[in-house]
Structures are given as C-alpha cells and as structure tokens.
Amino acid sequence: MPKVRLPVLPPLFCAVMLAACGGSDAVSEAGSRPNSFPEGTNALEDFDTGSTGDSNNASGLASNELRVTVEVPRSVAPDGELTRRNLRIVEPDRLEVYQTDSSLRQLASVDITIRKEDSGRHIISFNDGLPVGPNIVIEASVGNTILRSLAADEDRDVKINPFSEYLVNNGLGSYTSSEFDQVMECVDSESESLCLNKYVWATVNDQVHDFEISIPDNYSVPMAVSMLANRPDFANYVARMTDYALIDSSSAGAITASAIDFNSVLLGIELGQSFREPSLNNPGQWGVRIAQEEVLQDVNGVAYVYPGLTLTNFDVFNVRVTSLASDVPYIRETLMQTNGNGFYKRGSDTWALNGHTTAPGAATLQDDLRLVTGRALYQSITGRDSSEVIGWTRNPFYLDAYVGGGDTPTEVLAGYFSAGKAIELIETGGELKRQDTLEDHYLSVFEVNLARSQDFALSTLDGKTYNVISFSMLLTGNNAAIPMSIASDVGSWSLADAGSPETALAVTESLTFQGLERVGSDGTIATTTGARLASGRALSLRPSQLSTGAQNTGRLDLSVGNGNTGTIIGASSPDGTLLAFNLNDVLDGNGPDDLGDGLIVAAEQSTSPAPDTGSYRLQGFAFGLETDSNRLMHFQDATLTLDSPISATLQLNGLEIQHTVSSQSVGKPASMADQLSLAYTDNGSGRIALTNGNLELTGFVTADQQTMFLRLVDNSAAEKVLGLVMATRLP
C-alpha cells in the first residue's frame, strides 16, 4: 500500500481506508485473513522476564513513529491470530487519527503518514512529533466494530483493543470540559513552566495492556468494555491515573537528594484458585509472601540482592523529577482447601525464590507527603532448569504511598493490590511459550521501606521503648489438626544494653494477640486470644555485603527467642524511630507460640497526646473466615478522619475476593464500601483504639503523628475478621 500524507484541514479528519469492507461479511473476512507477524511481537509466543505483560514491538521505528496492532474478541474475528487475554490480532479495515476532547468527538485532523508493514501491522508517522496528551486518538474499524486508543504511548507499541477502548471512553471521557482544559494546559506547558503530569498519558496507555484479564470468546467489544468496568481493580487504576493527571504543579514536587536507597520489608497476602493439580478439582488457595535476601553465584563470584527501593532525582528541562524502582526477592507458601476440607500445603519445595520487581518510572511527590504514580511489575520465571517452568504475571497498580521526611525521605509506606497468574511455559525454538494457566491469585501487599544508613549503629536504638504490632500466618495443612492459623500481636518492646551494646541489645516484650484458626476436621473457625512473652530475644546488626565490602545499612537480625526456630530479619529507619521485620517460619519448640510467616512493625513510643484532628489514608488487608468461605479484603482509597479527641469517621473503600469452599469457586475482585462512626481513645504513650460496636482497631500512632498501625478485629458474626492496616497522613 502506498504511503499517504494526510493534509492538515480542520474540517477533515485523518483517515486511511485500508480495505473496503462493509456489513456483517466484513467481520468474518477480518477474522479469516491470514497474519504473518514477525517473531517475538506476539506476547503469547515468548514469555520474557525483562518486561511487563505487554510485548514491546518498537524496533525499527523512527523517533516520530509508533506501531499499531489491533486486537479484538474472538466473536469479532474467530480465525484471527490468538494473543494474550484471549484476544485475536487482525488487520483493521480502516485507521483514523484525529484530535478530540472529553466529548470524544472528532475535532480536527492530525498531520500523519501511515504505511503498512509486510507483517500486516501499521506504522504511523506524526509529522509534528509524537503526541503526549490524551487529545489525539487512533480509531480502528474491523467490519462494524469500532475501537479506539490514545496515541500517546510509553513504548510506542500501541495496542487497539477493549482495554484501550475503556481508557478512551471511561478515562478520557470521564472528564468535564474544564478538567480536560486543565489537563491540556499541563500537556502544552513549555520547558520553563514544565508540568510533569503531562507524561501520565503515555504511561497509562501502555500499562492498561499489562493487565491479565481474559475476554470471553462470545463477548462483543461493548460487552468486553462493560466487563472491564466491573473489574474494580482495573477500573480503579484507570480512575486514579486520570485523577493523577489533574494534580496541579503547585502540589507536585520531587525529592531533593540525588538518590535514596531503602531497605524493604514486605508482606503479601493472597487468595486465589489453583489449577495446577487436577486431582484436587481447582481448589481455593491462600498464600503468603515475605521479602527475602537473594544470593547470586557464578564463575565470577557471589553477589547479594537485598529487598529494596530506590528513589532517584534527575532533571528534565531544569525541573526535578523523581524516579523509583524496586526489587524485592520473596519466598512463598500456599495452602489449598478442597470442598471436602482437604488441606494441602505447598512451600519452598514447590515454590522457588521469586521476584517482586517494579519497572523504573517517574513519580510525583505530592505536597511532600504522598508519592503517587502508576506502577508496572515485571514478569518472572521460576524453574527454568526443571521439568516445571512457570511464568508469573502481575497486574499494574496505582501507588499512593506515604513519604516520611519530606523531600529527603526516610520512609516510604504503602499498601496496594495486584492480581496475577501462574502460567505453564514450554520451550520451543529457544522461546518460552504460554500454555495452561496454573493459578489465578489476588495479592494484597503491605510494604515498609526504610532509608538505608551509611554506618548504622545499635546505639541508635539503645534504651528506646517501642509500640509493636505484628501479623503472622501459619500454614500447616497435610492432615494437621489446625491446618491454618493467623494471629496479630499488639504491645511493646524495651531495648536495653545486654552487656555488648555494639553487638546486641536485649529485647523485653509484652504482647497480647488475637487469632483465628481453621479446624482441619470440619473447617470451622475458632478464635484465640492470649499473651505472648518470648524470652531470650536480642537485636543485632545484619551487615550488607556490598561491592565495597560489608556495611551496616540499617538491616537488623532479631533472634527468635529461647526454644524457637526460624529467622526474623528487618531494618531500622536512620534515626531508629521506626523498625520493621519479616518473620520466616518462626516456630515455638514447645508448640503454643508458632507464628509462621509475617511482619512486625515497631515505632518509638511518644509522650505527646495522640492527634485529635487530621485525615489519613487507610491501607492494608483483612481475612474473613467462616466454615464455607474465605474472604480477602484489601483496603484502598479509604479515609480515616479524626473528628475530635474522642470520635472519628472511617470512609471504607476497597476490594474483596470471595472463595466459596463447597462449590470450589473463587470470584473476581469486587468493590466494598461503607462509612462508620468510630469512638476514638488515647491510651497514652502513642497507643490508640478506635471502635464501632464489635469492630476494634487497636494499635498506635508514631511519635510524629503521621502514621498509625492498627490491628482490625471483628468476631461478632459467623464470619470472623482479622487484619492489619496502616493509616498515613493525607495533605
């Protein structure tokens, strides 16, 4: 097909007829046309650890060009080339490129050139430079089916499919005219008054294609878009990203340091469905993930990967930009539950060390309190040299993190949600190709990042008293009387010189716990309470092995106590006011204090009264257990408002996943929302409680009054609820 240069004529729109088809016959013709796309461009064909779920096919493009691929549901093109998410790649009958606004009308033409590659894809050259904002749309016609995409795209590999159509219709189309004008003022800003949020659009248009949500065979495009609207994890991501674009320049900032490295402590709680063992008939599955150091060794030597986050500051047209990237190796345990109350644990003998790694990207420091951005997680592969090679996919999420320390952060705290899949891979011709889905899982992450120090010393912690909270999950399975138990402790620690303050500090603890147990014989739920007084615990430095040698960066070892086994590894903030640890297989040799895997957070006690005003973002998770169901609740976009010294209001928002045991069914994420009036009590030394009837939130506020860590308990109904949340200061 010859190149076509489209004139810039305001009453006209850029349109290129690629094939003349009409009526219902065009639909079947589009699906029956053969495709010969080059190798490596279909994400179904080559699973790669160095990328997110969406393939990147930008090779060979000039700086003002992008590549377009059209993907439709099977009902539109039954014979199209199968790709991810059960979509089919087809050649469009027509492509149009035009300028629009929030009304989604065609407003003006765009100066472009379109050419068709031998592969069947199309290259669009933007003669005035690549679009940045949401005002340029590419529209594809396949028979009577119309789909649209924004032209701004981070990797210039534009997919036009139901996901991009949702973003155009429900994202761009959600703006009022004044909001759209505000967005375009940002997009049109020049270097001397650069508005960095203009780059949101390229990010979100790329990341919507990283979501692993399969479109049913019989769905039309409108049905697929409606289905996505009813996936609150996807819809909320799009809504928050479009809100992100409206953050004004006066509220947007960046860190001042050139780079800040953080030690990360991460707890991931998951509920999903396993298809990996057919004899169990697709049972529901709980899972727990904790951060873990990784040792890499080859002929060149040994290297260590420590769970961490890095914030980097760089200049764009003399404006500071914050970029973030994280790499958290993790270990995992799971427990499957069948409808006959069979419980099957799978641990390190099944699940290899894996990676929770975010792709580098820009973020906005909002009002020196919140770090906000859209985050994509890299795919990973385990068992590469074994008989079972598994590919792991992870959906993007909107990061709304609290940043302590202002523009030179000392802590970054966040809770977020990411659905994912485990996929069987088979190697063919040097490529790993997707086969069957082995599991669907829905993950709630509780993440504490504490800035690394140059030469951290235990003297920073000596003599301090801390408020402490923990959450742990013990999976036993395999005919155990109690195959699953969870517990949350609240109390205090005192640290003192044990005779060698440079090498160890004695830890005296006083904790009370609330717990839930699932009984193996009949699946019923039992509640547990009590005191926990581990003896013989000590805190010591855990040096990091860096290229320059061993260095004390703030990483810590907490001994498990007399008679216990396992490890407790964590970190301190530079000033010692906040500590966090991961529990790994912590077991009591005498039995009653088995903890398993989990997380501990400790904050230095305060002598000041608890805050009586302010709004806080509430994030975290809760388990809901009853005989015939498991429920995972993830809290996001929830707000805790302190109304007075004795009252507060909780606007509860989030997602929930429901597993029905008897039918062995696991639902998709669903929205949850409620508003509660709470009684608020200051118990002194930073300890606080918020209650509404049988709902209890018990924990503490940090000395700077910016963060609360709270245990959530409600045992009043048949479903017993236990969880862990953080509430972090809002602007």
Side-chain angles (χ1 to χ4, degrees), residues 76-388:
V76 177
D79 299 321
E81 180 184 353
L82 179 65
T83 188
R84 289 173 56 244
R85 304 180 293 190
N86 200 35
L87 295 173
R88 268 61 178 175
I89 299 174
V90 297
E91 291 185 34
D93 300 317
R94 186 177 67 172
L95 285 180
E96 295 182 87
V97 183
Y98 53 82
Q99 184 176 328
T100 189
D101 60 13
S102 58
S103 71
L104 306 184
R105 297 171 299 165
Q106 296 184 356
L107 299 178
S109 63
V110 180
D111 186 9
I112 62 164
T113 303
I114 297 182
R115 72 178 190 274
K116 179 181 174 182
E117 295 183 304
D118 292 340
S119 67
R121 286 180 169 82
H122 295 84
I123 306 297
I124 302 178
S125 301
F126 288 83
N127 300 319
D128 296 323
L130 288 173
V132 174
N135 60 320
I136 306 299
V137 165
I138 306 171
E139 182 176 295
S141 301
V142 181
N144 294 327
T145 297
I146 304 295
L147 301 101
R148 295 164 293 183
S149 172
L150 302 181
D153 190 270
E154 197 165 59
D155 62 11
R156 296 188 292 146
D157 183 15
V158 174
K159 305 294 195 303
I160 304 180
N161 57 29
F163 295 82
S164 65
E165 173 66 23
Y166 180 93
L167 177 59
V168 171
N169 190 69
N170 297 54
L172 175 58
S174 70
Y175 284 141
T176 64
S177 59
S178 61
E179 288 173 334
F180 179 80
D181 290 342
Q182 179 182 338
V183 166
M184 290 310 300
E185 286 179 11
C186 175
V187 170
D188 294 335
S189 64
E190 300 296 335
S191 59
E192 61 269 16
S193 59
L194 183 64
C195 175
L196 296 176
N197 293 336
K198 67 167 64 181
Y199 301 111
V200 169
W201 299 102
T203 297
V204 66
N205 195 39
D206 190 56
Q207 289 182 359
V208 292
H209 301 297
D210 293 327
F211 280 85
E212 289 279 347
I213 300 174
S214 294
I215 305 300
D217 284 349
N218 61 339
Y219 272 35
S220 64
V221 168
M223 292 170 67
V225 171
S226 178
M227 185 191 83
L228 294 174
N230 289 309
R231 272 292 297 258
D233 51 337
F234 177 81
N236 181 72
Y237 165 82
V238 171
R240 294 304 304 273
M241 289 296 282
T242 53
D243 288 344
Y244 178 24
L246 293 171
I247 297 176
D248 60 81
S249 298
S250 63
S251 299
I255 65 171
T256 56
S258 59
I260 304 175
D261 293 322
F262 295 80
N263 291 310
S264 297
V265 175
L266 178 147
L267 174 62
I269 300 296
E270 58 180 82
L271 179 61
Q273 188 165 20
S274 175
F275 313 105
R276 180 174 169 270
E277 301 179 43
S279 63
L280 299 181
N281 296 318
N282 309 334
Q285 178 175 271
W286 282 108
V288 57
R289 306 179 185 186
I290 58 170
Q292 179 83 354
E293 298 171 0
E294 182 177 11
V295 180
L296 304 174
Q297 187 169 5
D298 61 18
V299 294
N300 297 313
V302 178
Y304 297 84
V305 180
Y306 298 100
L309 165 73
T310 297
L311 300 183
T312 306
N313 175 22
F314 59 93
D315 286 341
V316 176
F317 301 114
N318 297 317
V319 176
R320 286 184 293 110
V321 179
T322 296
S323 175
L324 75 160
S326 62
D327 187 2
V328 181
Y330 70 87
I331 54 177
R332 179 188 196 228
E333 290 187 353
T334 59
L335 182 74
M336 295 177 285
Q337 180 181 2
T338 68
N339 55 7
N341 286 320
F343 296 90
Y344 302 89
K345 176 185 175 181
R346 301 293 180 258
S348 58
D349 55 339
T350 301
W351 309 122
L353 184 70
N354 210 330
H356 184 90
T357 305
T358 58
T364 297
L365 184 60
Q366 184 181 9
D367 295 310
D368 288 339
L369 276 179
R370 314 297 304 185
L371 190 68
V372 295
T373 187
R375 305 304 302 129
L377 289 156
Y378 282 136
Q379 299 178 145
S380 62
I381 297 172
T382 59
R384 187 69 186 255
D385 298 321
S386 72
S387 60
E388 184 179 49

Side-chain angles (χ1 to χ4, degrees), residues 28 79 115 171 260 438 491 541 606 699:
S28 58
D79 299 321
R115 72 178 190 274
I260 304 175
L438 300 177
L541 297 173
S606 171

Side-chain angles (χ1 to χ4, degrees), residues 425-437:
L425 303 177
I426 186 170
E427 187 166 357
T428 303
E431 295 179 340
L432 290 171
K433 300 183 183 296
R434 293 177 177 226
Q435 303 297 304
D436 294 335
T437 297

